[in-house]
């Protein structure tokens, strides 16, 4: 796994934000204590905001804050784990990644743990006159007052956390969150201006001789998390060779499997071997798939919502409706303005062939997975026909539109072959005729 993939995995885990808050709490506690030392540890004037207490009162207050916040943090962790378990069983384990990457959950847990640690660090700086060696005891009044302010923030964060958890497990919210990831990948895959500067990602205008290339083999088994095409294009710039990748992010490879072909007509075997190692290292292979580059994985999260909704244990066609609506937006966007760009050029010289995932492939994947589960529900078949019809009507890619028409016809024929009531068959046929010619 590449370093950047490890950074992304760490960023999306529960570790990063709480760790940042913990480090901040340590620095903040020492800063507040130093500020109290700077002012001689004198108590502030009594007011509605600031208050002064003795060593025992300060210890009791900080102890109460620390113990209470620790209990609240434990409860928050328990709620999070319980919700993650429930979502995993109802909507699939892939959705759990969204909960782990949810910044709101991470911030709440970070604030709780940071407040607990801050209170402990401030409490240890309180001491009496016999310990301080001075006539007066030392109480960091500014730091103690700030701990009360943090406790008030934690109370507000607890209310926000409960409301956020309750709203985040709603099906519409789940589908919308997954759709945002899918749309982001659609835009970066099909609509972003890749290949800025000197490299251009464009249409393939050359024929790569498959028998003339040296096979590049996978170093170990796993999922292709990402492929750094521009990095390998940079490395091949002055090597007078080209490479054609046979895999794409999301594919599973076995150790020793062919993942690319390298064409090096003017290089020695030793130089070719070094370049083959660079080509292989450009592929990040890990035990799990990464939604940051794998558009099929992002699509499958929406598909899993719909498939699990139609399982016998759930039998909830309304969730499929939400999933297909969110999926339709992404697939329509993918087909609008799409043109196959599968080759990196530098001043007209081909360098790297990639294995693109076309919108038609995404459409085939969606309908092939959903059809067998939806065929027994008239409303679900109608949802799929509406999705196919809208992509067919609004899409601009000819191949994608043809696949929508094909899958709509398959849905209609499959539903006609069932024992459904004639009324349901009429509903399905009317929906089909709305978008496609009879």
């Amino acid at each position: 796994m590449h370093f950047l993939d490890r950074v992304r995995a760490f960023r999306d885990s529960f570790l990063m934000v709480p760790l940042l808050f913990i480090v901040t709490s340590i620095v903040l506690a020492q800063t507040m204590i130093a500020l109290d030392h700077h002012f001689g540890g004198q108590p502030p004037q009594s007011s509605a905001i600031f208050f002064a207490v003795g060593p025992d009162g300060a210890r009791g207050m900080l102890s109460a804050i620390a113990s209470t916040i620790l209990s609240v943090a434990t409860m928050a962790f328990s709620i999070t784990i319980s919700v993650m378990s429930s979502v995993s069983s109802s909507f699939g384990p892939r959705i759990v990644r969204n909960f782990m990457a949810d910044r709101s959950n991470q911030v709440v847990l970070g604030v709780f743990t940071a407040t607990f640690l801050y209170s402990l660090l401030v409490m240890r700086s309180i001491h009496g006159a016999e310990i301080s060696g001075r006539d007066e005891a030392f109480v960091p009044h500014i730091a103690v007052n700030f701990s009360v302010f943090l406790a008030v923030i934690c109370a507000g964060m607890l209310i926000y956390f409960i409301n956020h958890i309750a709203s985040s497990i709603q099906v519409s919210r789940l589908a919308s969150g997954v759709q945002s990831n899918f749309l982001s990948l659609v835009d970066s895959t099909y609509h972003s201006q890749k290949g800025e500067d000197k490299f251009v990602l464009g249409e393939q205008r050359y024929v790569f001789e498959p028998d003339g290339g040296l096979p590049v083999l996978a170093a170990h088994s796993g999922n292709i998390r990402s492929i750094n095409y521009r990095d390998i294009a940079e490395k091949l710039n002055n090597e007078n060779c080209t490479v054609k990748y046979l895999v794409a992010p999301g594919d599973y490879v076995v150790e020793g499997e062919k993942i690319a072909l390298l064409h090096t007509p003017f290089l020695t075997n030793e130089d070719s071997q070094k370049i083959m190692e660079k080509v292989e290292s450009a592929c990040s292979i890990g035990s799990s798939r990464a939604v940051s580059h794998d558009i099929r994985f992002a699509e499958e999260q929406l598909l899993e919502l719909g498939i699990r909704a139609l399982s016998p244990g759930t039998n909830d066609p309304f969730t499929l409706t939400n999933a297909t609506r969110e999926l339709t937006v992404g697939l329509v966007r993918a087909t609008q303005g799409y043109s196959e760009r599968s080759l990196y050029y530098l001043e007209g010289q081909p360098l790297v062939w990639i294995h693109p995932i076309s919108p038609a492939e995404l459409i085939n994947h969606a309908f092939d997975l959903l059809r067998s589960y939806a065929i027994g529900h008239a409303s679900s078949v109608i949802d799929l026909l509406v999705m196919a019809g809208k992509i067919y009507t609004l899409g601009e890619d000819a191949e994608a539109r043809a696949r929508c028409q094909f899958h709509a016809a398959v849905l209609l024929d499959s539903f006609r072959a069932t024992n459904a009531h004639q009324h349901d068959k009429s509903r399905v046929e009317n929906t089909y005729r709305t978008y496609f010619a009879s």
Side-chain angles (χ1 to χ4, degrees):
M1 189 186 301
H2 288 168
F3 174 74
L4 289 178
D5 290 324
R6 296 182 186 275
V7 171
R8 293 189 186 98
F10 177 70
R11 179 194 62 191
D12 294 338
S13 68
F14 272 137
L15 294 176
M16 189 187 76
V17 173
L19 280 178
L20 291 177
F21 272 92
I22 287 175
V23 173
T24 303
S25 70
I26 295 174
V27 175
L28 185 61
Q30 299 305 318
T31 302
M32 289 297 182
I33 294 171
L35 193 61
D36 274 294
H37 279 293
H38 177 73
F39 288 105
Q42 298 299 320
Q45 295 181 354
S46 299
S47 65
I49 299 178
F50 293 99
F51 60 90
V53 292
D56 293 337
R59 290 194 188 98
M61 182 178 300
L62 292 171
S63 177
I65 292 175
S67 59
T68 302
I69 294 302
L70 181 61
S71 300
V72 172
T74 303
M75 181 193 68
F77 273 106
S78 300
I79 292 176
T80 302
I81 296 301
S82 176
V83 169
M84 288 172 58
S85 176
S86 176
V87 169
S88 176
S89 61
S90 300
F91 303 109
R94 292 176 177 84
I95 306 299
V96 173
R97 297 170 183 266
N98 296 342
F99 277 90
M100 295 184 65
D102 191 333
R103 282 287 181 265
S104 296
N105 294 338
Q106 296 175 1
V107 168
V108 169
L109 298 178
V111 169
F112 287 158
T113 53
T115 302
F116 168 74
L117 184 59
Y118 174 89
S119 300
L120 290 183
L121 293 176
V122 173
M123 185 164 55
R124 66 184 292 272
S125 68
I126 302 173
H127 46 73
E130 66 281 0
I131 298 179
S132 63
R134 299 186 302 177
D135 295 336
E136 297 180 353
F138 175 74
V139 178
H141 296 283
I142 298 177
V144 172
N145 277 271
F146 192 77
S147 69
V148 176
F149 172 71
L150 291 178
V152 173
I153 292 179
C154 287
M157 294 295 287
L158 176 61
I159 298 173
Y160 167 78
F161 178 73
I162 295 175
N163 176 74
H164 177 71
I165 287 293
S167 61
S168 63
I169 61 176
Q170 298 177 14
V171 175
S172 58
R173 181 76 174 270
L174 286 172
S176 178
V178 176
Q179 185 216 42
S180 64
N181 293 333
F182 184 45
L183 282 177
S184 176
L185 274 175
V186 166
D187 288 336
S188 63
T189 302
Y190 301 121
H191 297 280
S192 66
Q193 296 298 321
K194 295 185 178 181
E196 296 90 347
D197 304 327
K198 56 186 178 181
F199 293 104
V200 177
L201 179 60
E203 298 180 0
Q204 181 173 333
R205 301 190 298 266
Y206 299 84
V207 178
F208 190 92
E209 297 295 339
D211 297 331
L214 298 175
V216 179
L217 308 181
H220 53 273
S221 303
N223 295 281
I224 302 292
R225 296 175 60 89
S226 63
I227 302 177
N228 196 336
Y229 298 113
R230 285 184 55 78
D231 180 65
I232 194 63
E234 289 274 6
K235 294 177 180 178
L236 297 181
N237 185 14
N238 299 319
E239 300 292 347
N240 194 23
C241 58
T242 55
V243 62
K244 180 177 182 179
Y245 279 98
L246 307 177
V247 294
D251 290 337
Y252 187 86
V253 296
V254 180
E255 182 179 353
E257 182 179 349
K258 188 188 302 182
I259 61 174
L261 294 172
L262 182 66
H263 187 60
T264 59
F266 304 108
L267 298 179
T268 64
N269 291 336
E270 182 179 355
D271 292 336
S272 298
Q273 187 64 35
K274 293 180 180 179
I275 296 177
M276 290 170 63
E277 293 176 356
K278 294 178 182 179
V279 171
E280 192 279 330
S281 64
C283 292
S284 176
I285 302 177
S287 58
S288 60
R289 300 168 70 177
V291 73
S292 57
H293 293 90
D294 189 353
I295 191 171
R296 289 175 294 184
F297 184 54
E299 180 192 37
E300 286 170 4
Q301 289 185 326
L302 282 170
L303 294 176
E304 189 172 21
L305 280 176
I307 290 173
R308 285 183 174 265
L310 295 179
S311 63
T314 305
N315 195 22
D316 179 17
F318 297 105
T319 299
L320 176 69
T321 302
N322 283 320
T324 54
R325 288 173 178 173
E326 304 294 352
L327 188 60
T328 300
V329 176
L331 292 177
V332 168
R333 174 66 176 156
T335 61
Q336 291 177 339
Y338 166 76
S339 62
E340 183 176 333
R341 298 179 297 172
S342 58
L343 184 58
Y344 273 98
Y345 295 92
L346 174 61
E347 298 177 353
Q349 176 65 29
L351 293 174
V352 179
W353 274 263
I354 70 175
H355 181 67
I357 305 299
S358 67
E361 185 175 345
L362 296 179
I363 291 170
N364 287 334
H365 190 50
F367 282 97
D368 288 340
L369 285 178
L370 291 174
R371 182 172 55 251
S372 59
Y373 294 93
I375 204 65
H377 304 266
S379 59
S380 299
V381 173
I382 290 175
D383 287 333
L384 293 184
L385 287 175
V386 170
M387 181 172 73
K390 290 185 177 181
I391 299 172
Y392 179 81
T393 303
L394 301 175
E396 299 174 1
D397 180 58
E399 183 184 4
R401 297 178 73 246
R403 299 312 298 169
C404 287
Q405 190 171 21
F406 168 78
H407 285 292
V410 172
L411 276 169
L412 181 62
D413 292 340
S414 299
F415 191 74
R416 282 172 173 172
T418 64
N419 296 324
H421 193 274
Q422 185 60 39
H423 173 69
D424 289 332
K425 292 183 178 180
S426 298
R427 292 169 57 207
V428 170
E429 291 174 356
N430 290 336
T431 304
Y432 177 83
R433 284 194 293 268
T434 301
Y435 297 100
F436 305 98
S438 56

